[in-house]
Amino acid sequence: MKEFYTEQIKDFGLGNFINITPTLKELSKTHRVVVWFANKTFEQCYIDCDWMTITQDKRPQPRIHSGTTNFRNTMADWEYCWSLVFGNRNVTENTYIDTPDIENPIKGKYGIFINGAGSEVESYLDMKLVDDETQELIKELSPIPVYGLGGPNDQNRNIFEGFYGDIRLALRIMADAEWIITNATGLYHAAGALNKKQLVLWKDCLYPKNINMNDKCITAHKDEWKQKIKEFYEIYENE
């Protein structure tokens, strides 16, 4: 079987890599998919993946990588990558991330809020972050407890107590959550890959370039946040 080598590259992180996984999974039917991760934390999200081989040996420039993104903003990144490799937009595989088989420290029903960012550059943060007032509304209206997740820096911009810095634990907690509310960040794409009920609070990131492919995801643009949060909770309670 031929090899297909690809990379998660610096400055194009977890969400970007998740968006090329439908293409990689399709390629794995005819190729041995070999992946090098620049970020070893993100590598931890794929150690259970049976159609991917992780390598520690970086090779020459791959044909596609996590930076294979649609800067023209004409379609979603997962669709764009697929079209480059297969010549059409008929994406038949879902995005993928591990669901770790580890103990969840949270008992009972709960929701998750994530306010992540892959960079600490102020202009980048301004495009993504959800303000404290909106977070307070999420907390006030929620019919169940809400916990925060993310990386170490994300804890400083999240009003919710939770679990920060352990990405495999975060994936386990996300997999068991009733629902997930996020900004447009890497774990937003992870929630989509886990096929969770989710609400994304969209600010100024490119749309549709950065959307995920989860049909259970509701998008709230920045002038809709308050109303869509209320509606999201109503949908949950009425199901």
Side-chain angles (χ1 to χ4, degrees), residues 13-116:
L14 181 60
N16 300 118
F17 185 80
I18 289 171
N19 281 326
I20 72 170
T21 57
T23 300
L24 298 181
K25 190 172 183 182
E26 182 68 16
L27 285 166
S28 74
K29 297 173 183 177
T30 55
H31 294 72
R32 179 172 176 259
V33 174
V34 179
V35 186
W36 179 82
F37 287 86
N39 186 309
K40 300 309 175 186
T41 296
F42 301 153
E43 180 181 305
Q44 292 299 303
C45 299
Y46 291 91
I47 60 176
D48 296 335
C49 182
D50 60 5
W51 50 263
M52 178 188 301
T53 300
I54 296 172
T55 181
Q56 303 305 317
D57 298 321
K58 182 173 169 53
R59 303 183 187 178
Q61 183 71 20
R63 178 180 170 190
I64 63 169
H65 49 69
S66 62
T68 307
T69 59
N70 178 26
F71 288 110
R72 292 180 298 168
N73 197 33
T74 55
M75 66 184 84
D77 282 342
W78 46 268
E79 189 177 20
Y80 176 71
C81 183
W82 181 283
S83 70
L84 289 180
V85 174
F86 300 113
N88 63 69
R89 295 169 61 175
N90 183 30
V91 182
T92 56
E93 292 290 345
N94 293 322
T95 52
Y96 175 85
I97 202 163
D98 284 352
T99 303
D101 184 17
I102 58 178
E103 184 178 357
N104 186 343
I106 308 175
K107 308 304 178 186
K109 294 182 177 181
Y110 61 89
I112 291 298
F113 175 72
I114 297 165
N115 199 25

Side-chain angles (χ1 to χ4, degrees), residues 5 13 29-30 35-36 53-54 66 71 97 100 107 127 134 147 162 164 166-167 185 191 207-208 218 223 235-236:
Y5 173 72
K29 297 173 183 177
T30 55
V35 186
W36 179 82
T53 300
I54 296 172
S66 62
F71 288 110
I97 202 163
K107 308 304 178 186
M127 293 172 56
T134 301
Y147 295 90
Y164 299 91
D166 185 332
I167 199 161
T185 189
Y207 186 98
I218 297 171
D223 59 343
I235 292 169
Y236 168 72

Side-chain angles (χ1 to χ4, degrees), residues 153-202:
N153 291 335
D154 298 333
Q155 186 170 9
N156 299 325
R157 39 186 166 252
N158 196 320
I159 70 167
F160 295 96
E161 295 294 323
F163 302 85
Y164 299 91
D166 185 332
I167 199 161
R168 287 191 67 78
L169 178 59
L171 293 177
R172 176 73 264 164
I173 291 171
M174 290 171 68
D176 294 341
E178 292 289 298
W179 45 257
I180 299 171
I181 300 176
T182 74
N183 65 335
T185 189
L187 290 181
Y188 149 69
H189 292 285
L194 293 169
N195 199 33
K196 301 302 296 183
K197 297 172 187 175
Q198 63 177 142
L199 174 68
V200 56
L201 303 179
W202 208 275

Side-chain angles (χ1 to χ4, degrees), residues 122-239:
E122 186 172 354
S123 59
Y124 184 84
L125 297 176
D126 287 343
M127 293 172 56
K128 287 179 172 281
L129 295 186
V130 177
D131 59 273
D132 285 358
E133 182 180 352
T134 301
Q135 294 185 54
E136 290 288 356
L137 182 67
I138 292 168
K139 184 176 185 179
E140 175 188 343
L141 298 181
S142 177
I144 55 177
V146 181
Y147 295 90
L149 290 178
N153 291 335
D154 298 333
Q155 186 170 9
N156 299 325
R157 39 186 166 252
N158 196 320
I159 70 167
F160 295 96
E161 295 294 323
F163 302 85
Y164 299 91
D166 185 332
I167 199 161
R168 287 191 67 78
L169 178 59
L171 293 177
R172 176 73 264 164
I173 291 171
M174 290 171 68
D176 294 341
E178 292 289 298
W179 45 257
I180 299 171
I181 300 176
T182 74
N183 65 335
T185 189
L187 290 181
Y188 149 69
H189 292 285
L194 293 169
N195 199 33
K196 301 302 296 183
K197 297 172 187 175
Q198 63 177 142
L199 174 68
V200 56
L201 303 179
W202 208 275
K203 201 170 182 183
D204 295 315
C205 294
L206 290 178
Y207 186 98
K209 174 189 180 296
N210 293 303
I211 61 174
N212 71 27
M213 64 188 305
N214 181 14
D215 60 9
K216 294 180 181 179
C217 180
I218 297 171
T219 300
H221 294 282
K222 58 185 177 182
D223 59 343
E224 303 174 316
W225 286 3
K226 184 175 181 180
Q227 183 60 33
K228 288 289 184 74
I229 290 167
K230 293 177 181 178
E231 292 174 359
F232 185 69
Y233 285 149
E234 289 171 0
I235 292 169
Y236 168 72
E237 291 192 281
N238 291 327
E239 285 181 340

